[in-house]
Amino acid sequence: MRYWWVNQNQTYRHEVQGGYLWSPKRNANGARNPFYESMREVAPGDLIFSFMDTRILAVGFAQSYCWESPKPLEFGNAGQNWENIGWKVKVNFWELANKVRPKDHIDVLRPLLPDRYSPLQPNGNGLQSVYLTEVPTRLAEVLMSLIGQEVAPIALAARDVKPVSADDLDFWERKLEQELVNDSTVRETERMAIIRARNGQGLFKERVSKIESRCRITGVENPAHLVASHCKPWRDSTNEERLNGENGLLLTPSIDHLFDRGFIGFEDNGKLIVSPVAHHPSLQRMGIDTTKIVNVGGFSSGQKQFLDFHRSAVLLQSARV
């Protein structure tokens, strides 16, 4: 279990009542933000302290891993400068009766604050620039003791949480697909090819098969058991990119799932990247040896460009900021 602190001054009501966290991927100027990058490393069972207006108002635990998701419509005018596609995590929140004001206990808390990415200033005031940041275990323990007994059942439930899936990702993709169906500016034959590409079939798979001949991880060569997996996901791609063979790898369905949801990725030199939140026993059963360094071979220059997008916008691993 890891511990996180989230500042929700603009979105507390929507996120706590809706049972989620949502952040943009980057700052308005396109720069990486360490407090948005943190979203990529949240895992089911992690405990989250919700801070707003000088107090910890709620505590919850993550029920899912992070996934790509459009900005929630209910945000309305909040975050008008935020990009429309960001990170989302499903969270089970409990609002607290004992709403602790950290500033009242700063003499106890100050020595426990991290040197980097602290959620509080040394005087106990919050930091507006912080969205989500990790809390050291000792600091989390002291915060829980200040909150009191009502946090105990929350922490207990977190230990037994069963991970849930990214339940709006398919809905989002189906909506994009329907928009494509209704787009009269795209020829019908091309439209059907693009729609089939979403499932890794049709023209897209034919084009990927001219570059790839087997699953990079399992070695399976029979095309009946392979799908063409987008490096830059179908949901993020232009129509041209959705059919670009260099935007694809041939993978078995289970490996495609891990790649599409960001549990694995690849360096340009072919080195396999395993997300720090990935469940290693599951990966072992799905055909990935997590006990050693795995290299799947080099990629074309075109593939490298799309893999760079995957590492920066899909892989569940925060970039160094």
Side-chain angles (χ1 to χ4, degrees):
M1 176 187 288
R2 295 168 76 178
Y3 302 92
W4 304 91
W5 175 294
V6 62
N7 281 335
Q8 294 174 302
N9 285 334
Q10 294 189 67
T11 57
Y12 173 84
R13 178 172 58 87
H14 305 299
E15 292 184 306
V16 170
Q17 293 180 6
Y20 63 85
L21 298 179
W22 187 92
S23 81
K25 288 188 176 182
R26 302 201 178 197
N27 291 334
N29 63 2
R32 290 190 184 279
N33 183 317
F35 308 114
Y36 300 156
E37 290 288 309
S38 293
M39 293 280 284
R40 301 167 75 172
E41 297 205 0
V42 176
D46 287 355
L47 207 68
I48 300 164
F49 298 92
S50 171
F51 180 84
M52 187 190 79
D53 194 25
T54 77
R55 295 181 183 275
I56 297 174
L57 301 185
V59 174
F61 59 82
Q63 296 177 287
S64 74
Y65 300 98
C66 173
W67 76 89
E68 283 187 294
S69 182
K71 183 168 67 173
L73 294 175
E74 59 266 28
F75 279 11
N77 292 328
Q80 290 185 3
N81 295 325
W82 293 339
E83 58 187 351
N84 289 325
I85 305 301
W87 301 114
K88 192 173 187 179
V89 175
K90 193 170 182 61
V91 181
N92 193 345
F93 279 112
W94 280 265
E95 294 192 278
L96 300 172
N98 181 23
K99 298 173 174 56
V100 171
R101 185 172 181 259
K103 190 178 179 72
D104 294 339
H105 308 278
I106 193 56
D107 288 341
V108 175
L109 299 175
R110 187 183 298 111
L112 305 177
L113 296 176
D115 294 332
R116 195 177 188 208
Y117 304 148
S118 173
L120 295 169
Q121 301 177 52
N123 63 6
N125 291 333
L127 288 162
Q128 291 296 318
S129 60
V130 171
Y131 176 64
L132 183 73
T133 189
E134 188 170 7
V135 174
T137 300
R138 181 58 187 147
L139 175 57
E141 291 171 344
V142 172
L143 290 173
M144 287 190 284
S145 70
L146 292 172
I147 294 169
Q149 285 301 312
E150 62 182 310
V151 79
I154 305 172
L156 187 62
R159 297 192 187 100
D160 297 325
V161 66
K162 299 296 183 183
V164 298
S165 62
D167 56 359
D168 69 358
L169 192 55
D170 287 339
F171 174 80
W172 172 29
E173 289 196 340
R174 286 197 300 271
K175 183 178 178 182
L176 293 174
E177 185 177 300
Q178 188 59 47
E179 290 174 358
L180 180 61
V181 168
N182 297 330
D183 187 351
S184 60
T185 65
V186 181
R187 295 194 314 272
E188 183 176 358
T189 53
E190 182 181 0
R191 203 160 50 224
M192 294 308 298
I194 295 168
I195 290 171
R196 294 197 70 197
R198 180 190 162 208
N199 296 316
Q201 301 298 331
L203 179 61
F204 177 60
K205 185 175 181 180
E206 291 177 19
R207 291 177 173 177
V208 175
S209 297
K210 294 178 180 179
I211 303 170
E212 301 282 303
S213 61
R214 58 180 175 80
C215 174
R216 292 273 184 153
I217 298 294
T218 64
V220 171
E221 296 180 335
N222 188 330
H225 305 312
L226 299 171
V227 296
S229 184
H230 287 87
C231 303
K232 182 177 181 180
W234 187 93
R235 56 189 174 267
D236 295 310
S237 295
T238 64
N239 285 340
E240 181 180 355
E241 291 170 334
R242 288 167 174 169
L243 294 176
N244 187 333
E246 292 197 291
N247 187 19
L249 299 173
L250 289 179
L251 303 174
T252 56
S254 58
I255 301 300
D256 166 64
H257 160 78
L258 295 173
F259 185 59
D260 182 62
R261 298 304 171 95
F263 294 109
I264 62 169
F266 301 98
E267 298 286 3
D268 285 348
N269 63 6
K271 180 182 176 183
L272 175 70
I273 306 168
V274 175
S275 163
V277 302
H279 186 243
H280 283 214
S282 295
L283 266 62
Q284 288 283 153
R285 296 186 186 106
M286 296 166 85
I288 294 179
D289 189 345
T290 61
T291 65
K292 65 180 183 180
I293 295 174
V294 175
N295 192 295
V296 301
F299 300 99
S300 71
S301 58
Q303 287 176 311
K304 289 177 182 178
Q305 293 180 38
F306 289 113
L307 287 171
D308 181 64
F309 181 93
H310 186 276
R311 289 190 297 269
S312 67
V314 180
L315 183 65
L316 298 181
Q317 174 177 290
S318 61
R320 301 296 180 185
V321 180

